[in-house]
Amino acid sequence: MHGTRADEPSDDQRWISASYVFVALAVLGFIASQVIPRATFDPYYACGGLVVPLLPIAAAWRVWQRRGTPRGRAGWGLIAIGLAGYLAYEVLWFVDWLVDSPLAVRVADVSNLVFAPFVLLGVLKGSTQPDTELHRQRQYLDAAIIAISIVSVIQAIISFQGGSVRALNSGQDFVLILQPLIDLVTLAGIALLWTRMDRGSLPVWAIAMCVSLMFGFLADIWFALPVSVGRESPWFVVAAWFGTWSALAVGTTSALQPDPPRASSNTALSKVPYLFVGICFVVLLVAVTLDDHVVIVTSTIAAVAVTCLVMARQYLTVRNVTSTEVDRARAEADARLAALVRHGSDMLSIINADLVITYASPSHQWIIGAPPEAIVGLSIITNIHRDDLSLAKRCFDRLLHGDSQRESMVVRLRDAEKRWRWLEVIASNLLAEPSINGIVCTSHDITNRKELEEQLADQALRDPLTGLGNRRLFSDRVAHALHRLQRAPSSVAVLLLDLDHFKFVNDTLGHAKGDALLIAVADRVRQVVRAGDTVARLGGD
């Protein structure tokens, strides 16, 4: 069996090593271009243009095959198209170098227009994006500020050097004008990617591709500036082209490695946009000093534009802070309300128009012994005492028909152990509230209070020793009996019993024996009277 040893480099590592060798060769090639006369170096440069795009294109194709997500595959498909356009550009220039074909030059210029837009779209599509619309808007504003500022600087430099806008006399002129316009769009895209670099939200391959686009942009600028004033391009244009090839090789081969985990950045760079606004105003100040009317007009427009963009950015920032604070306050209020409902001592329930419970708070568990999920779906009147049922129905009818918005009632409710518990219920009509759409009932358990009231009332009418009625109960019953005589003639009898020598019992046997005697007599009297008769203790004996 044949296998790969642990110390042998993997296939992907070989690709990355090849890119480093590629960079070293590019550096040596640039040095050679400065040492060797141009007429001697041109054949090597022309032939090298056919070879240098092959490594990035092959690596991009390999990455496209490996990307698992549709978004990643789409991004690298766009990058591959852009690199293919770059290869076509180099091939056509090689043809022109061989046969001096003007047609090949024109087609090459058109194919070169494909490179930067497609590579830029691929990087934008395949890299990490902000996860909220607000932060995406802030990044677009930052990119626009940076791009407008750099355009203002470039236009000022061209004007200061004596350059002017080229007239459109032919298709070739249109292509020559279109190239810097595409460069400006590329610049805006690079600025957008720059704003994504905060906290490492761009992988290495995306940064390398941005560097390649920036080298291409610099090559076009360094070529366009001298040509616009009738001069030859400087030596560092070749350096920019070599840099473009090297960065493409590093970027495409680095993408063969899986992207390291990283947190998505939602915060745009905070200082960079303001720096470029300052640059715009510096350009305007220089133009005023040099009395360049064209630059004064263009830099004024750029300064006004970036100022408006900064104001829009500040508005988004303030709105973001405000909405964040509002959301945080709302979340705290909701959490506080949920905690109050969850730990409240009162039962909170919501019933619909059919008097069916749609929500029950957790307090149902420890008040009536039933879990909330067992309560939901039941009718509110199912467990109400029959003596209190009519009162409850009348209150709910008034709420449902709009005759009242708030009702209170005291009813008895059967708990899980079949015992009756007294509840003080306050019902509010919130059927018009979309979030509630029902009647909210707040029930407070008053069972202990009711039992205490009954106990106190019983003590006020009963003799504590014998349990018989006291003088107050006796007088009340006599009064009622006399009133009944006025409605229906009958008879009323009062029998007074007195224990003779009761004081002798207390004095000889003690008060405990005397109390026992009173209790025994009370029990005997209670046993021999009718159910409707009243037995009361009026005095000591």
Side-chain angles (χ1 to χ4, degrees), residues 153-165 221 224-225 228-229:
V153 172
I154 294 173
Q155 191 276 333
I157 294 175
I158 294 175
S159 181
F160 293 154
Q161 295 293 325
S164 59
V165 178
I221 294 299
L225 283 176
S228 65
V229 294

Side-chain angles (χ1 to χ4, degrees), residues 414-449:
R414 186 166 49 202
D415 62 12
E417 298 180 359
K418 307 301 182 181
R419 296 176 304 179
W420 294 106
R421 305 197 69 85
W422 286 91
L423 299 177
E424 185 178 35
V425 182
I426 298 177
S428 301
N429 184 355
L430 296 180
L431 290 168
E433 290 289 336
S435 58
I436 297 178
N437 190 26
I439 296 176
V440 178
C441 297
T442 304
S443 304
H444 181 63
D445 186 8
I446 60 172
T447 302
N448 294 335
R449 191 185 77 186

